Amino acid sequence: MIMKWVAVLLISLCTVGTEASPGDRSIWYQECTQICINRYNCSRTFGTFNWVRGDCFWCRYDCMWETTEHFEGNFGNVPQFHGKWPFLAIPLPFGFIIQEPASVIFSLLNLFTVYKMLQRFKRMKDLPNRTMWLIYAHVGMFTWISSTLFHMFDCDITEKMDYFGAYTFVLSAFYVSLVFTSPQLQYSLIGRRLIKLMQLLFIGVFLKHFKDMATHFDYGYNMFCCITFSLCATALYAHHLYRRKINLGSLQEPDILLMRLIIWANLATGLELLDFVPVFWIFDSHSLFHLATIPIPIWWADFLDITYDLDSTVDRKSTILKIA
């Protein structure tokens, strides 16, 4: 059953962005946006920046809703456009627009909690592998800045930033899981050399991926890598908890916190499978995924606090995870 769920997840996510969507393939949308191009001198390719602001955006926005009405009237369903559902947009000063309000707000909240995690890490002077955790938090900051920009201004540049940011964060999380679940490597010369070798290997994997994606941006392959690394990290933590249970006879408080954290993170990822028409044209499954990940950085800091008895915050016992 678990393998079936994993297979469905991989297939579903790896097909994202690989083909045009029914809405933008339709003759209604193509004829309407051609009028936008002629009237406002918009670019003939939709990934350019002038489609995310001003008259070009609002003209295409009207085309999207007109096409949606045609689909609902003729086929009884709501189409996607360029891999996304229709969303209500919010105008900003200087002609800018928030294209996906919920995902933007939730991405900003994730950015805030990652920032708080970073500040906690900075106060953990005795945290093992402190530099690794600080780099991980900084990568998370870049990831959520990229996510915010992408959901606010969906164009080729911000889309690539979002995909690369997600890949880098997931790859970093995989490296963190390897080092955290193998603490014995710190206590021998061979182990420390092995860590250096892993660092070089991960840097090489990242650079090769960046080079390949710069040559041909394959959305499905990028997502496949992210899901694969996430599953590997989950497997490492599960094995770590199993060893702790065998060695100690029962799971300790830090183990229970880690188990809850990993389960929550994987359930949050599972929200992507729902893929429903946005509620109130604002909340879709992807935005709910971003909503679910908001507390995770704070919980990581709590977990490290308790695991290493660092006490980087005055009132950590009042956190959501502790209450749960």
Side-chain angles (χ1 to χ4, degrees):
M1 184 65 183
I2 294 176
M3 292 307 297
K4 180 180 178 181
W5 187 91
V6 170
V8 171
L9 181 63
L10 287 172
I11 293 170
S12 300
L13 294 180
C14 289
T15 56
V16 173
T18 58
E19 297 179 354
S21 301
D24 53 90
R25 284 201 307 262
S26 69
I27 189 65
W28 301 303
Y29 184 80
Q30 292 179 16
E31 288 181 347
C32 185
T33 52
Q34 185 60 48
I35 295 173
C36 301
I37 293 171
N38 297 335
R39 181 178 299 169
Y40 298 112
N41 195 30
C42 306
S43 171
R44 294 190 174 274
T45 56
F46 290 113
T48 56
F49 189 70
N50 69 342
W51 280 111
V52 301
R53 63 182 300 272
D55 293 331
C56 288
F57 173 83
W58 289 116
C59 185
R60 185 175 69 161
Y61 183 74
D62 291 337
C63 291
M64 178 187 71
W65 288 114
E66 289 175 12
T67 302
T68 300
E69 290 179 3
H70 283 299
F71 268 80
E72 289 184 309
N74 290 276
F75 308 119
N77 59 38
V78 175
Q80 290 191 345
F81 297 83
H82 308 284
K84 292 186 175 183
W85 295 108
F87 290 94
L88 286 178
I90 299 177
L92 296 174
F94 308 109
F96 292 104
I97 300 104
I98 297 177
Q99 296 184 17
E100 301 175 53
S103 288
V104 169
I105 292 171
F106 297 153
S107 293
L108 286 172
L109 289 173
N110 274 282
L111 176 62
F112 174 74
T113 55
V114 170
Y115 172 77
K116 298 297 288 184
M117 177 180 72
L118 174 62
Q119 297 308 304
R120 295 270 297 277
F121 287 170
K122 288 181 177 179
R123 292 195 294 270
M124 297 179 185
K125 303 300 183 182
D126 298 323
L127 175 65
N129 300 297
R130 183 169 177 267
T131 300
M132 176 190 73
W133 289 104
L134 290 173
I135 292 174
Y136 174 68
H138 280 98
V139 170
M141 295 280 290
F142 171 76
T143 298
W144 290 111
I145 289 172
S146 299
S147 177
T148 301
L149 292 175
F150 172 57
H151 293 300
M152 185 177 291
F153 314 117
D154 180 0
C155 60
D156 283 344
I157 294 175
T158 57
E159 185 176 40
K160 288 179 172 58
M161 285 178 61
D162 182 58
Y163 274 79
F164 275 125
Y167 175 86
T168 308
F169 199 27
V170 171
L171 184 65
S172 300
F174 180 34
Y175 174 79
V176 165
S177 69
L178 277 170
V179 174
F180 177 80
T181 58
S182 306
Q184 67 277 7
L185 295 179
Q186 302 289 331
Y187 305 116
S188 69
L189 179 60
I190 295 177
R192 289 191 291 271
R193 287 178 176 175
L194 184 58
I195 290 177
K196 293 292 184 183
L197 182 61
M198 285 195 304
Q199 291 172 350
L200 293 175
L201 177 62
F202 271 76
I203 292 172
V205 168
F206 173 78
L207 292 177
K208 184 180 185 306
H209 183 82
F210 187 89
K211 175 180 175 295
D212 291 343
M213 296 295 283
T215 304
H216 172 63
F217 203 85
D218 188 332
Y219 302 94
Y221 173 67
N222 190 81
M223 193 62 71
F224 173 80
C225 292
C226 289
I227 296 299
T228 301
F229 292 146
S230 294
L231 291 174
C232 289
T234 298
L236 284 171
Y237 287 123
H239 182 254
H240 168 76
L241 291 171
Y242 173 76
R243 286 187 314 181
R244 294 268 298 175
K245 174 70 166 58
I246 295 299
N247 294 336
L248 301 177
S250 63
L251 294 177
Q252 307 301 303
E253 182 183 13
D255 305 321
I256 295 172
L257 299 184
L258 178 60
M259 182 172 62
R260 291 177 182 177
L261 198 159
I262 299 306
I263 291 174
W264 181 280
N266 281 274
L267 289 177
T269 303
L271 288 172
E272 295 276 28
L273 286 173
L274 301 179
D275 197 28
F276 51 80
V277 176
V279 178
F280 307 122
W281 303 112
I282 295 176
F283 302 98
D284 69 331
S285 60
H286 186 68
S287 68
L288 294 182
F289 162 66
H290 287 331
L291 173 64
T293 57
I294 290 171
I296 291 177
I298 302 299
W299 294 350
W300 268 118
D302 288 342
F303 167 70
L304 293 177
D305 254 348
I306 295 171
T307 299
Y308 298 113
D309 195 23
L310 299 170
D311 197 20
S312 69
T313 183
V314 175
D315 191 21
R316 80 182 178 200
K317 291 188 177 180
S318 64
T319 62
I320 298 173
L321 188 57
K322 289 283 286 181
I323 293 173

